[in-house]
Amino acid sequence: MDIDPSQLPLDGIKRGGGWSVITGWGRALLSRRGKRLWRTLNHKSACLSCAWGTGGQNGGFRDELGEPLQRCIKSVEAIQSELQPAVPRHVFDRLSLGELQNFDSASCDRLGRLDRPLIHRAGQDFYEPIQWDEVYKRLADAFLASPPERVASYSSGRSSNEAAYLLQLLMRARGSNNLADCSDLCHAPSSVGLTRVFGSGTSNVSLESLRQADGVVLVGSNAPANHPRLMNELIRLRDRGGTVVVINPVVEGGLLKFGSPAFPIRSLLLGSEIASLFLQPIPGSDTAVFLGFQKAWLESGAIAWEFVKSHSDGWEALQEQLMSTSWESITQCCGLSREELEHTAARLASCRAVVFAWAMGITHHSNGTTNVQAIANSAVLSGNVGRPGTGTMPIRGHSNVQGFGSMGVSIRLREPMRLALEALLKRPLSRTPGYHARDLIEAADQGQVDALLCLGGNLYGANPDSNQARRALGQIDTVAYLARQRDRISAGNSGRETCSLDATDRGQPGFPDG
């Protein structure tokens, strides 16, 4: 397939953004809670939707650089959800557990916010109110009655740093390292892969730096739907003559053309071109794609050897891998031609500063860590690390996932934090390996988990096998779910007690010093 986006088959594909965003805003602000919504949108607080966020200490609609009109419709929808009234008291009197289980997540969400503790007792058909004193006693009894290895927690970035710190402190004081987190199911390969290459699992690209790039590689991401604010930066980059390489097996209309309300004249009406090149590899073959770029750079002399040899190690093994891997094996694996890969590699080599960005289309594979290492190695080989306009940028989801990890909600506790916690608790922490999110479901499915505390998130909905998740959660004696809204995790259990409360990949050779 020709990689020029203008040659892609676009029948039935709609552009992203545009007037639908404006009408969405209109419906939200003209609703019964529109006035309160507007006040909340202007608060000095982080966005509830994604890692791009907005507001913060600047407040309102400005980003961290003071740019105006940086509030996307996903942010509006997330805040709307938080501002819902309480679930009517009669709902849980009328809807049985079986009926609730037939609701999808959106229908559960529309019921409203929880304003009181509820319990589903084993053998009963309905949730019923419960007093907080009984909540605390039941949870204390459940977590103290079982050995530490049989109690667990699950969390997401939908809460505060303080809550995350207390959660991990509670679990580790109990002697359990079973601190599963939503990041286990999304960007854990990013954290592991980037740490292996750079020593840190976080993005090394700031918004200010992104605005100095003249090239972006966006792989495995539907940013128009999931991270709309990123589209403004891609529009700016194209306006200044930059190159956007999109790598995605699926043709997302918004990655071809996007209408942003932030640019009402030049973008909203007609739409802005996004992808300069669009590659459609075979799903799961991303490592081969980036190996192809690396091989093309090696053969054309485009590798930044002075930078690589001065700031990295392990490059000899990678060079040997590139030389010994045939073009035929690369192209057969990824489904792209040698000409497509060489042409794209040449376009990237001609850029002054390139940012490599990706989302869960890269990490949601058994070789997700290998994919991330291949991307990071590509950044190093091309010299696109450590200077303005360059670097690696995993595009994360909930706004506080990084904060949760920094507070110690992880099965991979960093050594300085372990020592600090041991000093605080005045005793050694358990060295028993903890369950990540998938291990937790597997253990529960085998009857090895007695009590589970969920702080936000949706462990049931996040798992790839909903049948297994339903069965596994139904094996746990006590599940406590702390959230302000209904979610299907609470309706996904049967026969046990549930409280709903308001409240190893080896990869490509890395560059450890890179």
Side-chain angles (χ1 to χ4, degrees):
M1 175 182 291
D2 194 318
I3 56 177
D4 181 349
S6 65
Q7 302 300 314
L8 287 168
L10 303 181
D11 293 343
I13 297 178
K14 297 181 180 180
R15 69 182 176 113
W19 286 106
S20 61
V21 178
I22 302 298
T23 57
W25 270 87
R27 285 193 300 270
L29 295 177
L30 293 175
S31 67
R32 286 183 299 168
R33 294 184 294 277
K35 186 176 180 180
R36 187 182 177 196
L37 173 63
W38 181 257
R39 290 199 305 268
T40 307
L41 286 169
N42 281 282
H43 281 177
K44 291 184 177 180
S45 61
C47 175
L48 294 176
S49 180
C50 80
W52 273 86
T54 199
Q57 293 307 305
N58 292 319
F61 291 69
R62 295 183 178 273
D63 62 23
E64 54 268 41
L65 296 182
E67 186 78 24
L69 297 177
Q70 298 295 313
R71 177 77 78 170
C72 77
I73 192 63
K74 285 180 65 68
S75 176
V76 175
E77 292 169 348
I79 292 176
Q80 267 189 305
S81 183
E82 293 287 317
L83 296 179
Q84 292 184 103
V87 180
R89 295 295 174 106
H90 63 78
V91 166
F92 295 109
D93 295 332
R94 297 179 180 177
L95 295 176
S96 68
L97 179 66
E99 290 171 312
L100 287 171
Q101 286 176 328
N102 290 325
F103 280 44
D104 59 21
S105 291
S107 299
C108 284
D109 183 77
R110 285 192 289 269
L111 289 175
R113 302 171 71 241
L114 291 175
D115 64 343
R116 55 183 173 153
L118 300 168
I119 187 170
H120 169 244
R121 303 180 191 273
Q124 300 299 310
D125 291 330
F126 291 86
Y127 279 96
E128 62 184 71
I130 183 175
Q131 297 299 312
W132 280 105
D133 287 346
E134 185 179 355
V135 169
Y136 295 138
K137 184 178 187 307
R138 284 181 173 275
L139 291 184
D141 290 346
F143 273 77
L144 292 174
S146 298
E149 63 272 12
R150 295 184 66 88
V151 299
S153 68
Y154 174 76
S155 59
S156 81
R158 293 293 300 276
S159 192
S160 65
N161 282 346
E162 292 81 2
Y165 174 74
L166 291 175
L167 173 66
Q168 66 88 30
L169 188 63
L170 171 70
M171 294 296 295
R172 298 192 196 281
R174 180 66 187 89
S176 174
N177 292 320
N178 297 326
L179 285 139
D181 186 67
C182 68
S183 64
D184 298 335
L185 297 164
C186 56
H187 269 291
S190 296
S191 297
V192 174
L194 290 176
T195 298
R196 289 178 180 176
V197 177
F198 298 120
S200 170
T202 62
S203 170
N204 50 39
V205 178
S206 66
L207 177 57
E208 183 178 13
S209 180
L210 178 60
R211 291 181 177 177
Q212 299 179 59
D214 66 341
V216 166
V217 178
L218 183 64
V219 52
S221 166
N222 184 8
N226 298 320
H227 304 91
R229 273 195 55 213
L230 174 58
M231 304 309 295
N232 292 340
E233 304 308 321
L234 298 182
I235 291 170
R236 286 192 176 98
L237 187 144
R238 287 299 307 271
D239 285 349
R240 60 180 182 262
T243 296
V244 175
V245 175
V246 174
I247 304 174
N248 199 325
V250 178
V251 178
E252 303 287 359
L255 291 174
L256 298 175
K257 183 172 284 191
F258 188 85
S260 172
F263 311 111
I265 296 177
R266 73 177 190 270
S267 179
L268 181 61
L269 294 177
L270 300 177
S272 299
E273 301 290 340
I274 302 299
S276 308
L277 302 173
F278 202 117
L279 303 182
Q280 290 182 270
I282 295 171
S285 66
D286 304 280
T287 294
V289 173
F290 284 91
L291 196 66
F293 295 161
Q294 296 167 14
K295 188 174 181 67
W297 291 331
L298 177 65
E299 294 180 350
S300 65
I303 289 179
W305 283 120
E306 182 177 352
F307 173 80
V308 169
K309 293 178 180 180
S310 299
H311 299 285
S312 67
D313 57 28
W315 56 267
E316 298 92 344
L318 181 52
Q319 181 183 26
E320 182 178 342
Q321 180 187 10
L322 295 175
M323 294 173 64
S324 62
T325 303
S326 68
W327 275 111
E328 182 180 11
S329 62
I330 292 173
T331 57
Q332 285 184 350
C333 179
C334 69
L336 300 174
S337 69
R338 176 176 177 176
E339 290 73 24
E340 288 175 309
L341 294 169
E342 289 181 330
H343 176 68
T344 305
R347 285 287 296 270
L348 294 175
S350 68
C351 293
R352 172 186 50 80
V354 179
V355 167
F356 294 81
W358 65 93
M360 286 180 282
I362 282 293
T363 59
H364 273 190
H365 298 281
S366 59
N367 65 330
T369 302
T370 304
N371 287 339
V372 172
Q373 286 184 243
I375 295 172
N377 284 343
S378 296
V380 174
L381 288 176
S382 59
N384 284 298
V385 177
R387 54 189 177 87
T390 68
T392 52
M393 188 175 73
I395 310 172
R396 289 183 161 95
H398 293 315
S399 57
N400 203 39
V401 171
Q402 187 65 51
F404 260 54
S406 298
M407 293 296 105
V409 180
S410 172
I411 62 171
R412 305 175 186 87
L413 187 63
R414 297 189 300 275
E415 186 67 7
M417 183 172 286
R418 182 185 67 80
L419 295 174
L421 291 175
E422 289 182 338
L424 176 67
L425 297 173
K426 296 182 173 56
R427 59 183 173 84
L429 296 183
S430 170
R431 296 298 198 275
T432 303
Y435 296 139
H436 58 56
R438 280 298 301 151
D439 281 348
L440 172 58
I441 290 295
E442 293 287 351
D445 200 20
Q446 297 169 20
Q448 297 174 0
V449 179
D450 297 332
L452 171 65
L453 175 62
C454 296
L455 180 58
N458 186 346
L459 181 57
Y460 167 73
N463 267 272
D465 187 338
S466 58
N467 290 326
Q468 184 197 33
R470 178 190 293 267
R471 184 176 64 244
L473 291 169
Q475 296 279 357
I476 302 175
D477 292 329
T478 301
V479 178
Y481 180 49
L482 282 75
R484 289 186 293 274
Q485 292 164 250
R486 292 289 301 158
D487 212 323
R488 287 201 69 192
I489 188 173
S490 300
N493 300 276
S494 59
R496 301 293 174 130
E497 189 174 84
T498 305
C499 291
S500 293
L501 315 178
D502 181 22
T504 54
D505 280 318
R506 293 183 60 195
Q508 275 199 302
F511 293 89
D513 259 345

